[in-house]
Amino acid sequence: MSLTIGVDIGGTKVGGGVVDENGNVLATTRRPTPADDTPGVIQAVKEVVEELRQSHDIEAVGIGAAGWISSDRSTVMLAPNLSWKNEPLRDKVAEAIDLPVVVENDANVAIWGEHKFGAAKRHRSSVLYTIGTGVGGGIVVKDNLLRGTNGVAAEIGHTRSVMPDGRQCGCGRTGCLEQYASGRALTRAAQEGAAEHPEKAAILLKLAGGDPESITGRQVTEAARQGDEVALGAFDFIGYYLGNSAADMVNLIDPGVILVAGGVVDAGDLLLDPIRKHYQEALGNRAQVPVAEVRAAELGSKAGVIGAADLARHREIVP
Ligand SMILES: [Zn+2]
């Protein structure tokens, strides 16, 4: 049995898991992510790997990290959340643990997990949106990760075909999808809606103690479940942008399935129904011929660990 470890470097924790060749996670562990401390992050990865290695025979390690990863999968060229620039993560970790290492973008490892073992496994081409604090994107075309010339393809969250002159984005541009379709955008839409129309946000405001500015994402989901008009409107708001973006992906990629993942997907059909509605509207005549279904991803928070571990197993194949 070939075993590899997948490691997910997130903003708050470094999570790792031992994964077999069928995508089963056999053991997991985690450490806190030391922010703004690169040697500390590498130490955390090392500790995670060393702990998991004590009970399993490991052949390689895959790492998923938010940021732009070089095309040879060795270097984090830019990772705003971790303050990394041109960080040779692969070689530093490989030196620390004495195992082969593969580094890949966090959304790319997630779609790879879904492609091999999850909601996209019946399709050769697929698109993934990860809706969290921001919006991540991953694309698989004909069983290959779309990585691009420089390793930075599929940044769907920073496309801006829907609103090019819109809100300022952390990437230095304005109007990116991320500003209109993230968990943060959902909360902001609900906060603004409740401030403007408190009479339509009675349930939401009650949950938030009466103050629109203290509304949280969790409260938006809870209020929408109870039928709150402003909360439902906030889901419709981000669903509009995601649905329009998904229709663009159909024109660009013609995937077999479009997946939605990330924390906000816990809301289920509260999120998926508006996306599907606006997606159908945005397809135009394209809806008259076969077209990808929009559905929730299946592997949840384990997708990154499973995908990274599988990329490490097949590390000789650089897509
Ligand atoms: Zn952006």
Side-chain angles (χ1 to χ4, degrees):
M1 174 75 73
S2 158
L3 298 179
T4 52
I5 289 176
V7 178
D8 184 4
I9 301 179
T12 57
K13 69 177 170 62
V14 175
V18 177
V19 184
D20 72 14
E21 51 214 5
N22 298 316
N24 299 306
V25 180
L26 307 181
T28 62
T29 190
R30 61 164 71 176
R31 294 287 184 282
T33 305
D36 301 328
D37 173 12
T38 304
V41 172
I42 288 161
Q43 178 64 26
V45 173
K46 182 182 176 182
E47 287 177 23
V48 162
V49 171
E50 295 300 345
E51 184 183 325
L52 293 170
R53 266 174 110 177
Q54 283 172 14
S55 47
H56 297 87
D57 190 16
I58 301 299
E59 65 170 68
V61 173
I63 299 175
W68 295 338
I69 314 298
S70 60
S71 56
D72 65 355
R73 303 191 296 187
S74 70
T75 304
V76 181
M77 298 189 290
L78 196 65
N81 298 338
L82 292 163
S83 310
W84 286 357
K85 198 167 183 194
N86 292 325
E87 184 61 41
L89 185 64
R90 181 189 68 189
D91 292 347
K92 282 189 178 173
V93 173
E95 194 181 321
I97 63 176
D98 197 25
L99 280 173
V101 173
V102 167
V103 179
E104 186 52 88
N105 170 271
D106 58 346
N108 283 1
V109 296
I111 194 172
W112 190 252
E114 296 288 343
H115 171 71
K116 289 293 291 282
F117 307 110
K121 69 182 174 196
R122 289 184 297 106
H123 301 279
R124 297 196 62 194
S125 301
S126 53
V127 172
L128 171 79
Y129 292 84
T130 58
I131 316 297
T133 311
V135 174
I139 297 174
V140 167
V141 177
K142 291 276 183 80
D143 302 318
N144 277 291
L145 265 181
L146 183 69
R147 305 187 69 258
T149 302
N150 302 295
V152 198
E155 288 285 349
I156 311 171
H158 298 283
T159 56
R160 53 180 187 174
S161 52
V162 182
M163 189 74 81
D165 299 317
R167 283 193 182 117
Q168 182 65 45
C169 183
C171 75
R173 314 199 313 161
T174 55
C176 293
L177 179 67
E178 177 165 294
Q179 298 306 314
Y180 296 87
S182 62
R184 198 173 278 165
L186 173 80
T187 305
R188 185 164 50 198
Q191 289 171 341
E192 289 174 1
E196 206 171 324
H197 298 289
E199 74 284 0
K200 294 179 180 173
I203 299 167
L204 185 55
L205 283 169
K206 193 176 169 199
L207 288 171
D211 177 14
E213 288 198 5
S214 66
I215 290 169
T216 65
R218 226 171 267 278
Q219 289 166 348
V220 180
T221 301
E222 179 54 36
R225 281 208 179 98
Q226 295 180 37
D228 185 275
E229 206 175 324
V230 164
L232 289 167
F235 277 105
D236 191 71
F237 176 85
I238 70 167
Y240 171 82
Y241 292 101
L242 288 168
N244 275 275
S245 173
D248 279 353
M249 289 302 133
V250 165
N251 284 309
L252 201 60
I253 309 289
D254 192 12
V257 67
I258 295 172
L259 301 180
V260 185
V264 183
V265 175
D266 292 344
D269 288 341
L270 286 172
L271 173 66
L272 292 171
D273 284 349
I275 297 175
R276 289 177 181 133
K277 183 184 113 194
H278 293 293
Y279 173 60
Q280 284 298 325
E281 288 169 3
L283 284 170
N285 289 343
R286 185 62 179 77
Q288 295 175 31
V289 296
V291 65
E293 179 195 2
V294 175
R295 51 178 299 196
E298 283 176 1
L299 302 181
S301 58
K302 285 192 285 188
V305 162
I306 294 171
D310 194 72
L311 287 173
R313 175 168 296 111
H314 303 290
R315 61 194 173 278
E316 307 307 334
I317 309 163
V318 179

